[in-house]
Amino acid sequence: MAAEKERKSSAVSDMGAWAMNVISSVGIIMANKQLMSASGFAFSFATTLTGFHFALTALVGFVSNATGLSASKHVPMWELIWFSIVANVSIAAMNFSLMLNSVGFYQISKLSMIPVVCVMEWILHNKRYSKLVKLSVVVVVVGVAICTVTDVKVNAKGFVCACVAIFSSSLQQILIGSLQKKYSIGSFELLSKTAPIQALSLLLVGPFVDYLLSGKFIVNYTMSSGCFLFILLSCALAVFCNISQYLCIGRFSAVSFQVIGHMKTVCILTLGWLLFDSAMTFKNVSGMIVAIVGMVIYSWAMELEKQSAKALSTVKHSLTEEEFEFLKEGVEETTHSRDVELGHTKA
């Protein structure tokens, strides 16, 4: 009975983290659309704005630690700096990729992050995925590609920026999960340690990156009260978005977070149609349906893997170490002969 209650509580927490990430991410995109568009406030300083986001996140973390709402655990400074460098390179490279490439190629580069994350997790952590998980990921990627990819134009500089963005973004998401496991640190505690470093570096470098992207310096921008309020709204939503990103990757995996990200794409397209009169074609609708089917298959596949892992863990506790190793070797040989991969991490 207690185990059943714990399982239900965990499922509710998982759903809460997922819902927080989707709602805050969609909200921040809508707020930034009004903030940055020519018809809105024309605040075209995306990298500096991200620095503001992390500054407020760092402030929330500092207050939480000071009031005892969260505990501070030790993580080596070099690991925090390394993570911040990877994360900031990801942000800058994504912005440059969007500027130098067509929207279609930019979307393709984002879609390619799922297979890149899978390969990197296999290389770094020897993590393997079942055929059903791989199939569901392919379905999700195809669905999102159908509804988002239009014109595809490639150039050398844009291709290099896209490759750097894909690699650094994938590595950043893997690092979030590995740092949490390595130092037994919670998602918010880790975020409160990395946010100040990212905020400081982005606020120092961001204005120059934005100048390269837009040809404008933020010091020359005339700030209105409406723009200031939208910046505050964007920053507030970013706090929830950052916290939920660390929560989701800590609870699930970097691949699951990518699948959740494509669910956000579907939500954004739908809200754009409802709120901003964006065109919704048969191609968009069919792509969204395919993507949602892929997400359902992915959820089912991951649940099957969890049940298999739990069953294997139960068997391990009921057997001696030698009996378990013998059984494990037998299962692996049978599995290999049938060309079926088990979705678990090998030590």
Side-chain angles (χ1 to χ4, degrees):
M1 189 70 180
E4 182 68 19
K5 280 185 178 179
E6 185 179 342
R7 189 180 68 81
K8 286 182 178 179
S9 175
S10 178
V12 171
S13 298
D14 290 348
M15 185 60 69
W18 177 84
M20 185 196 296
N21 186 258
V22 172
I23 293 170
S24 59
S25 297
V26 173
I28 198 173
I29 287 171
M30 294 299 165
N32 288 352
K33 185 172 183 178
Q34 177 64 24
L35 189 60
M36 295 182 176
S37 65
S39 58
F41 297 103
F43 186 84
S44 56
F45 310 101
T47 313
T48 307
L49 179 62
T50 307
F52 293 155
H53 291 169
F54 280 109
L56 183 59
T57 303
L59 178 61
V60 171
F62 175 77
V63 172
S64 179
N65 288 332
T67 55
L69 293 175
S70 60
S72 180
K73 292 187 178 180
H74 175 71
V75 178
M77 181 56 69
W78 73 267
E79 294 237 45
L80 297 176
I81 293 174
W82 165 240
F83 173 84
S84 299
I85 290 171
V86 171
N88 289 349
V89 168
S90 166
I91 293 165
M94 277 292 184
N95 287 338
F96 276 112
S97 177
L98 182 58
M99 178 186 75
L100 296 171
N101 294 310
S102 65
V103 175
F105 185 75
Y106 176 75
Q107 289 294 342
I108 288 176
S109 68
K110 287 181 69 177
L111 290 172
S112 66
M113 282 178 62
I114 289 187
V116 170
V117 168
C118 289
V119 171
M120 289 180 70
E121 286 200 320
W122 172 60
I123 293 171
L124 296 173
H125 304 302
N126 200 25
K127 188 169 185 177
R128 300 177 184 275
Y129 296 92
S130 67
K131 284 186 175 179
L132 189 58
V133 170
K134 293 174 184 175
L135 173 64
S136 65
V137 165
V138 170
V139 173
V140 170
V141 169
V142 169
V144 176
I146 290 171
C147 62
T148 60
V149 177
T150 51
D151 62 313
V152 179
K153 297 176 183 176
V154 187
N155 61 77
K157 289 182 181 178
F159 180 77
V160 170
C161 286
C163 289
V164 172
I166 293 164
F167 177 77
S168 56
S169 298
S170 302
L171 182 59
Q172 179 217 2
Q173 291 173 13
I174 292 171
L175 283 173
I176 291 174
S178 62
L179 284 174
Q180 288 187 52
K181 291 183 178 71
K182 185 176 180 180
Y183 296 104
S184 301
I185 189 171
S187 53
F188 183 73
E189 286 75 21
L190 179 60
L191 178 60
S192 65
K193 287 183 174 295
T194 58
I197 302 172
Q198 285 189 258
L200 181 62
S201 54
L202 285 172
L203 290 175
L204 287 173
V205 179
F208 301 100
V209 174
D210 290 330
Y211 178 76
L212 291 173
L213 290 167
S214 64
K216 301 174 185 176
F217 264 123
I218 190 170
V219 291
N220 298 325
Y221 180 78
T222 305
M223 184 75 66
S224 65
S225 57
C227 178
F228 181 73
L229 288 174
F230 264 88
I231 289 175
L232 285 180
L233 174 62
S234 179
C235 290
L237 288 167
V239 172
F240 289 101
C241 186
N242 288 330
I243 292 172
S244 60
Q245 177 186 3
Y246 281 56
L247 273 172
C248 286
I249 294 176
R251 286 180 169 273
F252 312 123
S253 69
V255 174
S256 296
F257 184 73
Q258 284 295 317
V259 174
I260 291 171
H262 293 313
M263 182 63 197
K264 291 183 282 191
T265 302
V266 173
C267 293
I268 290 162
L269 286 171
T270 305
L271 283 174
W273 173 58
L274 292 172
L275 301 177
F276 298 102
D277 295 325
S278 300
M280 182 67 73
T281 64
F282 174 76
K283 178 172 171 285
N284 295 138
V285 175
S286 58
M288 285 192 285
I289 291 171
V290 172
I292 290 170
V293 169
M295 291 168 198
V296 171
I297 297 173
Y298 181 83
S299 300
W300 176 49
M302 293 306 293
E303 187 60 33
L304 288 177
E305 288 198 353
K306 281 183 182 178
Q307 290 175 5
S308 298
K310 192 177 290 185
L312 195 61
S313 177
T314 303
V315 171
K316 182 176 180 179
H317 287 302
S318 63
L319 298 174
T320 66
E321 190 67 29
E322 289 183 2
E323 289 172 330
F324 174 72
E325 289 299 327
F326 178 76
L327 177 62
K328 186 178 177 183
E329 287 176 10
V331 169
E332 286 178 351
E333 287 175 8
T334 305
T335 300
H336 184 69
S337 66
R338 292 179 182 176
D339 194 31
V340 176
E341 294 177 340
L342 293 177
H344 66 283
T345 305
K346 295 181 181 178

